[in-house]
Amino acid sequence: MSPESGIPLREGLKIRHYIFNLILRHPGESVKVPSSWELAKHFGIARSTVTLAYKALMEEGILIGRPGIGTFLAPRYSQGLSSNGAIYPLIGLLTSLGNNLSYGSHQWGLMAATGSSLTFGDGCQVRPVTLSGNPETMKKELEQNYLDALVWITPPENKFLPLQEVSLCLPSVILGRTVKDINSVALDYEEESYQNGKRLLAEGRKKFWAVNMSGAEYYIPGFRRAYAEAGIELDERFIFNPDSRQLEELDEALRAGFRPDALLLHSNRRKEVIELLLKAGIDLKQECRVLSNIAAAKIPGFAGWCHDVPYEEFGQAAAEIIFRLLKGDCRVEHRILKHRNIPVNLE
């Protein structure tokens, strides 16, 4: 509920998106909008919610009320969105199931790069999509956003079925996952991890540890395969999975005298992990090779291999596919990108 307007936030967004969709499709025109009764019935919400939303939009100068006639788009506002009179396609950016309270750095990286590539040269309009998170109503909710295409960022793997249903009626691109019959841009985490595992073994590093967070399931299988081929089974005691005792368990293992010579640091608690390793007297330049993402490079005392996600390439690839789909070219392609691996403080 918005404290200023008294409008339920999600319902208010639906109405605003509906109105802005009309503006995008009728730039500079004073188009009559549905009555509060009609829009309430369309969205299945209370008429009072629509009335309050219309009032707020009138106060912002987006709508104009004409007594006895109806409510209309304000043409002056409409013209501001499309100065040359072109009608731009509207592209939605949907992250996970659309009900996030916040986004992590990886999601923001994908959103920012994709939004920038799509809007470069004013080729289209882009907006984040907010949904309820209910897979059963996802298709209907997306229809109510009146999108021309959708970029879906890191959808959960157990929700691929509704995703495939949506893609049948809405041109779609998936970022961060590869889904059958849907255009996608992703990284091959397992193959890259496998190659990194072989690099570690080539350096004689056989005591592999991992400090994980959600998403590590994409990395660990590759390392397992590389070590298994060398006749080494990863010790599960030193695969620290995300829970409340993760750092405590790592500290206990180090205090007990166990020492890794290779460590995958896929966690947002990078700083604390590096501090524990240094506290235990582990030389990160020679004794233990740490693998993490580029954010670790800024941590005092860090040394190791950092992978940098090619966000710009993700955004450019997503935009190329979306524009192709909008032109009627419905080929399905799966683009696989590669991390950039950067040695940090290993000289």
Side-chain angles (χ1 to χ4, degrees):
M1 181 76 74
S2 169
E4 294 82 7
S5 65
I7 307 170
L9 288 177
R10 193 170 301 280
E11 283 75 7
L13 280 173
K14 286 181 180 179
I15 297 166
R16 291 184 72 87
H17 287 170
Y18 179 88
I19 295 300
F20 276 97
N21 180 70
L22 288 178
I23 291 171
L24 289 170
R25 279 156 175 69
H26 301 279
E29 300 178 32
S30 184
V31 175
K32 186 177 181 180
V33 303
S35 69
S36 56
W37 277 112
E38 291 169 330
L39 208 56
K41 183 178 181 180
H42 176 75
F43 286 117
I45 59 180
R47 183 193 179 195
S48 59
T49 298
V50 180
T51 301
L52 287 171
Y54 275 9
K55 180 181 178 183
L57 290 165
M58 288 180 190
E59 291 173 352
E60 294 176 45
I62 298 170
L63 295 179
I64 298 173
R66 295 173 180 166
I69 301 175
T71 305
F72 296 78
L73 300 179
R76 198 162 28 176
Y77 187 90
S78 304
Q79 289 170 349
L81 285 179
S82 184
S83 58
N84 63 359
I87 300 177
Y88 299 137
L90 178 61
I91 316 299
L93 294 185
L94 175 61
T95 301
S96 189
L97 288 180
N99 58 345
N100 304 59
L101 293 176
S102 61
Y103 301 107
S105 60
H106 181 58
Q107 293 170 321
W108 272 119
L110 292 173
M111 292 170 65
T114 303
S116 178
S117 293
L118 285 168
T119 56
F120 183 78
D122 293 330
C124 61
Q125 298 283 337
V126 176
R127 73 161 176 245
V129 176
T130 302
L131 304 179
S132 66
N134 182 356
E136 295 180 1
T137 62
M138 184 177 296
K139 184 178 178 182
K140 182 178 179 181
E141 289 182 75
L142 283 170
E143 289 172 351
Q144 292 175 344
N145 274 268
Y146 304 97
L147 303 172
D148 293 296
L150 177 71
V151 177
W152 200 332
I153 297 171
T154 59
E157 286 194 352
N158 61 345
K159 306 303 179 188
F160 283 175
L161 181 58
L163 190 158
Q164 290 168 327
E165 292 176 351
V166 166
S167 69
L168 293 175
C169 56
L170 184 65
S172 302
V173 177
I174 309 303
L175 297 190
R177 304 278 190 272
T178 299
V179 184
K180 183 181 178 182
D181 298 328
I182 307 177
N183 287 279
S184 65
V185 185
L187 297 162
D188 190 340
Y189 296 103
E190 182 170 346
E191 179 59 26
E192 289 193 22
S193 298
Y194 171 71
Q195 296 299 332
N196 280 329
K198 292 178 69 173
R199 289 174 66 194
L200 293 172
L201 288 163
E203 292 185 0
R205 301 182 185 279
K206 300 179 180 180
K207 295 181 288 184
F208 178 89
W209 291 19
V211 180
N212 299 329
M213 62 181 289
S214 176
E217 63 270 19
Y218 299 108
Y219 292 90
I220 294 297
F223 287 103
R224 286 193 193 281
R225 178 157 60 97
Y227 275 81
E229 289 180 0
I232 301 171
E233 184 177 350
L234 298 188
D235 193 330
E236 296 301 322
R237 294 177 300 168
F238 305 126
I239 306 297
F240 302 97
N241 292 313
D243 60 41
S244 60
R245 294 196 69 249
Q246 185 184 60
L247 290 180
E248 186 178 342
E249 290 172 354
L250 173 63
D251 188 36
E252 290 171 357
L254 293 169
R255 287 175 178 274
F258 297 104
R259 300 172 77 87
D261 60 17
L263 185 141
L264 172 65
L265 180 49
H266 182 70
S267 171
N268 55 9
R269 306 178 80 176
R270 304 175 197 89
K271 185 173 184 292
E272 295 96 319
V273 172
I274 295 301
E275 289 174 348
L276 286 174
L277 293 173
L278 295 175
K279 182 180 177 182
I282 293 178
D283 180 359
L284 301 186
K285 292 189 176 183
Q286 299 294 332
E287 180 182 358
C288 180
R289 180 70 68 242
V290 179
L291 293 77
S292 190
N293 75 5
I294 196 66
K298 298 181 179 180
I299 300 173
F302 174 84
W305 298 341
C306 287
H307 65 257
D308 190 18
V309 178
Y311 290 115
E312 186 174 343
E313 291 180 46
F314 263 104
Q316 290 173 349
E320 288 171 7
I321 295 172
I322 284 292
F323 291 137
R324 171 174 63 74
L325 292 172
L326 290 173
K327 291 178 181 178
D329 183 346
C330 298
R331 288 177 294 123
V332 174
E333 63 176 305
H334 302 295
R335 298 196 190 183
I336 301 297
L337 306 181
K338 291 185 178 181
H339 285 107
R340 291 183 288 267
N341 288 306
I342 304 170
V344 176
N345 298 326
L346 293 178
E347 67 284 345

